[in-house]
Amino acid sequence: MIEIITQILLYMSSISMLIGAIGMLRFPDFYTRVHAATMVTIGGVCFSLLLIAASTFWSIYTLKTVIIVIFMLFTSPVIAHALANTAYELGIKPKNLSKNIIGIKKLKEVMEKEYDI
Amino acid sequence: MLGFLVTVLISYIAWLAFTFSFVAGNLIAGAIVSLCVAFISSRFLFHKKPSEVFNPVRWGYFIGYLFILLYCEIKSHFDVAYRIITGRINPAIIKVTPHMRTDLGKTLLGSSITLTPGTLVVGAERELYMHTLYYEKGHETGETFGKISRKVVGE
């Protein structure tokens, strides 16, 4: 049973990493590439850490690996948000945008008024 | 003072979970380290009502929130994989109104949105500005997270 779960997690993590890498190359602009990077973080790294947790089931390493997964889930959105927010403030334009409620220009004006950039 | 004690307790539990040996030297070292950690960091962590850590209702909501988050993660994971392979994307920047009063709630909601593949918070002021990979009309994310995350942070 544990071997089957391990195999499934192994295939899921490696396929996620492969698809995320393809997405990094295929997507047109910065913001959509960050989506692909998020997919690598969640799919690839979390599934492979859960693989270690499942293969050492039921020992202390299971608990430690699950704690590492939880810490990674707390910290990895901060990196993605920091990248995306910096690009947004610098005014890197997203390509083929279908809907944009607050434009880049308006947000830049707000930022200039508040932070005096 | 209660915030200090809560920080000591949490960091001591974390120390025991990571080292997992119960000899006397390890227990004393963990106590010293967690006292140092609490002395440095307890005034950043708890501003008001540290006893809310032990509120079982909010822990229950938090566990339910984790299950909803896991479901959304897996669903959107396969969705993003499909979009990468086929190339059918429709990116948009939309505004999410979180209706949160505290910064903690906004942080929780924004982190959950960014953690889900396919959605990404690009700016956070009073509202959150979210870049989404595939925009469908009438299919706004944030409503499913929003209701229960308000209860997790106790609003």
Side-chain angles (χ1 to χ4, degrees):
Chain A
M1 187 64 196
I2 287 173
E3 283 189 0
I4 297 171
I5 295 173
T6 315
Q7 297 260 325
I8 291 171
L9 283 170
L10 178 62
Y11 284 120
M12 278 179 79
S13 75
S14 46
I15 288 171
S16 303
M17 283 207 187
L18 179 67
I19 290 176
I22 293 170
M24 289 287 278
L25 294 173
R26 262 182 80 110
F27 276 157
D29 65 331
F30 182 84
Y31 300 96
T32 43
R33 284 189 176 138
V34 177
H35 290 302
T38 318
M39 193 176 152
V40 173
T41 316
I42 303 302
V45 182
C46 280
F47 282 149
S48 51
L49 281 172
L50 287 177
L51 183 153
I52 300 170
S55 65
T56 58
F57 196 79
W58 164 254
S59 68
I60 179 58
Y61 300 109
T62 314
L63 179 66
K64 284 185 186 179
T65 326
V66 169
I67 291 172
I68 292 170
V69 169
I70 291 170
F71 278 133
M72 220 189 66
L73 291 183
F74 276 126
T75 51
S76 72
V78 179
I79 303 162
H81 174 70
L83 277 173
N85 195 21
T86 313
Y88 200 71
E89 281 171 24
L90 290 177
I92 296 175
K93 281 185 182 161
K95 280 180 189 163
N96 50 29
L97 208 63
S98 67
K99 187 188 179 198
N100 194 354
I101 283 179
I102 181 163
I104 295 281
K105 205 178 154 199
K106 194 175 170 194
L107 189 69
K108 275 197 87 173
E109 281 173 8
V110 172
M111 298 302 290
E112 277 164 9
K113 200 183 286 175
E114 278 192 10
Y115 298 104
D116 199 12
I117 295 171
Chain B
M1 192 59 206
L2 190 59
F4 184 80
L5 289 178
V6 167
T7 318
V8 169
L9 191 66
I10 291 173
S11 43
Y12 197 57
I13 289 171
W15 173 274
L16 288 183
F18 265 109
T19 57
F20 213 76
S21 73
F22 296 99
V23 295
N26 189 39
L27 296 180
I28 294 167
I32 293 169
V33 168
S34 47
L35 278 173
C36 292
V37 167
F39 183 73
I40 294 167
S41 68
S42 66
R43 58 205 148 127
F44 313 125
L45 292 177
F46 295 103
H47 294 294
K48 49 192 173 184
K49 288 198 290 185
S51 60
E52 283 286 299
V53 173
F54 304 111
N55 191 346
V57 179
R58 279 171 66 178
W59 278 100
Y61 276 122
F62 183 64
I63 291 167
Y65 182 79
L66 284 185
F67 277 105
I68 293 174
L69 185 65
L70 190 69
Y71 170 70
C72 292
E73 291 280 332
I74 292 171
K75 202 177 76 176
S76 60
H77 199 82
F78 285 110
D79 187 58
V80 171
Y82 169 76
R83 307 243 169 260
I84 287 173
I85 292 167
T86 58
R88 284 181 197 157
I89 56 171
N90 185 17
I93 291 177
I94 60 177
K95 187 163 76 171
V96 178
T97 314
H99 302 293
M100 297 279 192
R101 289 195 301 273
T102 55
D103 281 346
L104 176 67
K106 265 191 253 180
T107 311
L108 181 69
L109 188 65
S111 295
S112 309
I113 289 172
T114 311
L115 194 60
T116 313
T119 52
L120 178 68
V121 176
V122 293
E125 288 164 23
R126 194 164 295 162
E127 293 93 10
L128 300 174
Y129 299 102
M130 185 178 91
H131 183 277
T132 173
L133 195 58
Y134 191 81
Y135 175 71
E136 287 173 284
K137 199 164 186 186
H139 184 256
E140 312 278 347
T141 325
E143 288 300 312
T144 42
F145 284 146
K147 275 180 196 162
I148 191 162
S149 56
R150 274 199 289 282
K151 285 176 179 161
V152 173
V153 297
E155 287 185 6

